[in-house]
Amino acid sequence: SRPRAGDPGWALPGAEDDMTHEECMEIGALLAGSGMLDFFNVNAGAVDTDNRLASAIPSMYAPLAPHLEVAAAFKREFKLPILHACRIIDLSTARRAVQEGLVDLAGMTRAHIAD
């Protein structure tokens, strides 16, 4: 048993320009195998430039849930629950993602605040 430390999860990129999907999955395997995490928060992209930020946090003009398949790849690979929150702006998209087993949790923060 490990000591309790708040809500141990890890925000893990599914793929970035600097890392391949395979490299992200290797990191995920190391983290999942550590026994120190309760969930993964999976997204795609990086935020170090304006263009990469626009991909990681897409505007309302982007398609719904553009990185859902990235999160689903982690769901297929790991036993930890998967949280994903990227342009999931309505309950029907969130419901589909969970019911189809693509993720365990769908985050809708921006949808509740701004969209």
Side-chain angles (χ1 to χ4, degrees):
S1 154
R2 64 178 167 80
R4 180 99 172 112
D7 296 315
W10 191 266
L12 185 66
E16 294 187 1
D17 291 341
D18 300 329
M19 293 172 39
T20 67
H21 176 74
E22 291 74 23
E23 290 170 329
C24 292
M25 295 299 268
E26 287 178 30
I27 292 168
L30 291 171
L31 293 170
S34 75
M36 298 298 290
L37 298 180
D38 292 330
F39 66 93
F40 281 128
N41 178 359
V42 178
N43 207 338
V47 296
D48 60 331
T49 68
D50 288 341
N51 285 340
R52 289 170 70 165
L53 176 65
S55 175
I57 307 173
S59 74
M60 62 188 218
Y61 301 107
L64 292 179
H67 305 305
L68 190 55
E69 183 50 41
V70 173
F74 278 79
K75 175 75 174 146
R76 289 188 296 270
E77 185 72 23
F78 303 112
K79 303 261 187 267
L80 290 173
I82 303 297
L83 165 67
H84 179 64
C86 183
R87 287 268 308 140
I88 298 176
I89 65 167
D90 55 42
L91 291 177
S92 62
T93 302
R95 183 183 307 114
R96 179 184 66 83
V98 173
Q99 284 180 340
E100 291 181 9
L102 303 175
V103 298
D104 297 292
L105 303 160
M108 298 176 60
T109 306
R110 184 171 45 161
H112 289 140
I113 294 172
D115 290 347

